[in-house]
Amino acid sequence: MAGGPPKALPSTGPHSLRDMPHPLAGSSSEEAVGGDSTPSPDLLMARSFGDKDLILPNGGTPAGTSSPASSSSLLNRLQLDDDIDGETRDLFVVVDDPKKHVCTMETYITYRITTKSTRVEFDLPEYSVRRRYQDFDWLRSKLEESQPTHLIPPLPEKFVVKGVVDRFSEEFVETRRKALDKFLKRITDHPVLSFNEYFNIFLTAKDLNIYKKQGIALLTRMGESVKHVTGGYKLRTRPLEFAAIGDYLDTFALKLGTIDRIAQRIIKEEIEYLVELREYGPVYSTWSTLEGELAEPLEGVSACIGNCSTALEELTDDMTEDFLPVLREYILYSDSMKSVLKKRDQVQAEYEAKLEAVALRKEDRPKVPADVEKCQDRMECFNADLKADMERWQNNKRQDFRQLLMGMADKNIQYYEKCLMAWESIIPLLQEKQEAK
């Protein structure tokens, strides 16, 4: 998209269901995260004596130096697709520029987080900070605690994925960078999570450790109320619509897990086949030195196999970098959705138990206690938020998998076309020899 950013509308913050305060949210100002977040266009990484920063092969400025986010370069890299539901976007986040830090005690990777926004919640229109994986993990934990009724996007798995040995390799770091960028964009597109105060802190705070050290003391009432709600309550029956969601998630995760395992086996076999091809082709080339009339056709076969090897390597790389990560993300997504569904069940179980206790009282017209009404409000909010997030997740899933399958089809077509062209190129060489006879 050319011509600069889309016109943004001033933001007044998120609106809760039916313009009413969320029943799980605390109202006390003391629960707010301590202090105003400090705007930080550039984050200067504090380094101890003897620390050494290394530049990764994909290019970037040394850590610890200022990295101003250019408006033009940022907007050129942003994917300004059509906005969901026709809404105008007013928050853009990009994860890029990974850096390797070699310190006395540990070695780790940081990523630059560049944020542009016209929302009033941000003091500056643009921020640039650096974050490591554990900072992303902190953000997700805080979102789960403060927004228990919502589906929180999954993070890529912390440990090295299967088949990858070096977690500091360029390929692994780039795969993780893409996943972290997707994680933040999922939050940015969410109408509630994108306004979360912890998300604002993550994007803007110069020193995130100040907030991370505050720990459990900063849990909101919303998180506490759901965390300790279960007690000894047991759900009788899950409503049909949520039972259907649970059944779908179980089947969905099972199917994706099967596809993931088979796809990994296919890629492994393709890599083994690729090794054989690379040994197979040169044999024809060395054989051609012993022949006269067959020399040129044999060299052609060797070149053909070499071209097929290159095409197969490209296909395997595409499957590893583009196909498998999407499968893994949605497997983790289904686990996140199941977790929210379980929390909803716990709130319903508490409500049913309290309602039953009221019914057992020996009163003609027992008055419903305030805590029962509050529990009912919590359950209704869980229901509404879960259904809204499920619908959003389904829409994203359809778009992501449509794009994924289209890309997979296109890559396979390109692979077979390259192989076809390679083998067809040998035919004229063989025909020339036959005509010469």
Side-chain angles (χ1 to χ4, degrees):
M1 181 179 294
K7 184 178 180 181
L9 298 177
S11 169
T12 58
H15 296 287
S16 57
L17 294 172
R18 301 190 184 101
D19 295 327
M20 294 293 292
H22 200 298
L24 294 183
S27 58
S28 173
S29 60
E30 296 177 357
E31 295 165 4
V33 178
D36 295 335
S37 56
T38 304
S40 147
D42 303 301
L43 173 62
L44 300 179
M45 299 294 295
R47 294 179 296 174
S48 59
F49 181 78
D51 290 354
K52 182 179 180 183
D53 296 321
L54 304 179
I55 301 177
L56 291 178
N58 58 351
T61 57
T65 62
S66 62
S67 53
S70 167
S71 300
S72 58
S73 62
L74 174 63
L75 290 174
N76 286 336
R77 298 188 59 185
L78 290 172
Q79 298 297 322
L80 303 179
D81 298 329
D82 292 335
D83 298 322
I84 299 176
D85 299 329
E87 298 176 356
T88 302
R89 293 177 184 267
D90 55 4
L91 179 62
F92 300 92
V93 180
V94 171
V95 179
D96 63 2
D97 193 25
K99 295 289 185 302
K100 182 178 181 180
H101 302 258
V102 180
C103 303
T104 305
M105 300 299 295
E106 61 177 339
T107 301
Y108 60 94
I109 303 292
T110 65
Y111 304 85
R112 181 174 62 186
I113 315 297
T114 306
T115 304
K116 289 178 66 68
S117 180
T118 58
R119 293 183 178 181
V120 297
E121 291 80 11
F122 293 89
D123 295 329
L124 293 178
E126 187 170 345
Y127 295 84
S128 180
V129 298
R130 298 200 72 84
R131 300 285 185 251
R132 56 188 298 186
Y133 180 88
Q134 67 181 27
D135 298 330
F136 287 84
D137 191 44
W138 172 86
L139 170 62
R140 190 178 189 282
S141 296
K142 289 303 179 183
L143 290 176
E144 282 190 326
E145 293 169 357
S146 59
Q147 310 281 178
T149 65
H150 285 287
L151 172 63
I152 311 301
L155 275 172
E157 293 165 307
K158 178 177 178 61
F159 300 102
V160 177
V161 296
K162 184 178 180 180
V164 178
V165 177
D166 183 10
R167 67 188 180 97
F168 297 112
S169 67
E170 182 180 0
E171 295 79 9
F172 177 78
V173 171
E174 176 60 15
T175 299
R176 171 161 287 185
R177 184 203 65 78
K178 291 180 179 179
L180 295 176
D181 183 72
K182 174 67 74 174
F183 169 72
L184 292 187
K185 282 182 169 55
R186 299 283 196 202
I187 299 174
T188 300
D189 290 339
H190 197 282
V192 176
L193 300 181
S194 64
F195 288 93
N196 185 277
E197 189 167 6
Y198 289 111
F199 187 46
N200 184 296
I201 291 172
F202 177 86
L203 297 177
T204 64
K206 179 177 296 186
D207 186 3
L208 192 62
N209 288 326
I210 296 176
Y211 301 95
K212 293 171 69 175
K213 290 177 181 178
Q214 294 173 357
I216 192 68
L218 292 179
L219 281 176
T220 63
R221 287 182 184 173
M222 185 185 298
E224 289 284 6
S225 62
V226 175
K227 185 176 182 180
H228 301 293
V229 79
T230 174
Y233 304 117
K234 184 178 180 181
L235 181 67
R236 293 178 180 176
T237 57
R238 179 183 282 174
L240 292 178
E241 58 181 329
F242 295 109
I245 291 176
D247 292 341
Y248 170 79
L249 292 173
D250 289 338
T251 303
F252 176 76
L254 179 63
K255 297 298 182 184
L256 248 60
T258 302
I259 293 175
D260 180 54
R261 289 192 297 272
I262 295 176
Q264 290 193 47
R265 289 203 301 268
I266 291 175
I267 292 174
K268 180 181 178 182
E269 292 172 0
E270 287 177 342
I271 293 175
E272 293 173 351
Y273 177 49
L274 182 60
V275 172
E276 299 293 340
L277 282 180
R278 286 172 174 168
E279 296 179 2
Y280 184 52
V283 175
Y284 287 91
S285 181
T286 55
W287 180 18
S288 67
T289 60
L290 304 177
E291 302 293 340
E293 296 182 354
L294 284 178
E296 190 173 1
L298 290 174
E299 284 288 357
V301 171
S302 178
C304 170
I305 296 174
N307 291 334
C308 291
S309 300
T310 301
L312 180 59
E313 183 178 13
E314 293 173 355
L315 177 64
T316 303
D317 289 342
D318 290 330
M319 290 285 289
T320 302
E321 297 172 7
D322 299 329
F323 185 73
L324 291 182
V326 175
L327 294 182
R328 291 302 308 157
E329 181 196 15
Y330 272 92
I331 291 174
L332 295 174
Y333 237 136
S334 64
D335 292 337
S336 298
M337 181 64 82
K338 290 177 184 178
S339 176
V340 179
L341 193 60
K342 183 177 180 181
K343 293 176 185 177
R344 191 219 73 86
D345 291 345
Q346 292 171 351
V347 173
Q348 180 185 338
E350 181 192 23
Y351 171 67
E352 290 177 348
K354 289 186 175 182
L355 199 62
E356 182 178 359
V358 173
L360 292 177
R361 293 178 184 176
K362 297 181 179 180
E363 300 178 13
D364 294 335
R365 301 182 63 180
K367 183 180 178 181
V368 179
D371 64 326
V372 177
E373 293 181 347
K374 185 178 180 180
C375 189
Q376 182 182 13
D377 290 340
R378 280 204 302 266
M379 185 181 68
E380 291 177 353
C381 282
F382 248 115
N383 292 345
D385 291 348
L386 182 57
K387 286 189 286 188
D389 281 358
M390 184 66 180
E391 182 179 358
R392 177 178 293 272
W393 180 75
Q394 289 284 14
N395 290 335
N396 289 337
K397 176 174 64 68
R398 283 191 292 269
Q399 295 176 9
D400 289 345
F401 276 94
R402 185 179 292 111
Q403 181 179 358
L404 179 70
L405 297 176
M406 285 288 291
M408 183 173 65
D410 183 58
K411 296 298 182 181
N412 275 276
I413 290 172
Q414 291 181 26
Y415 165 69
Y416 288 109
E417 284 180 342
K418 290 177 181 178
C419 291
L420 180 63
M421 291 175 60
W423 286 109
E424 285 181 339
S425 66
I426 302 177
I427 303 301
L429 296 177
L430 298 175
Q431 290 178 336
E432 288 176 2
K433 294 302 179 181
Q434 290 177 350
E435 291 173 358
K437 292 182 179 180

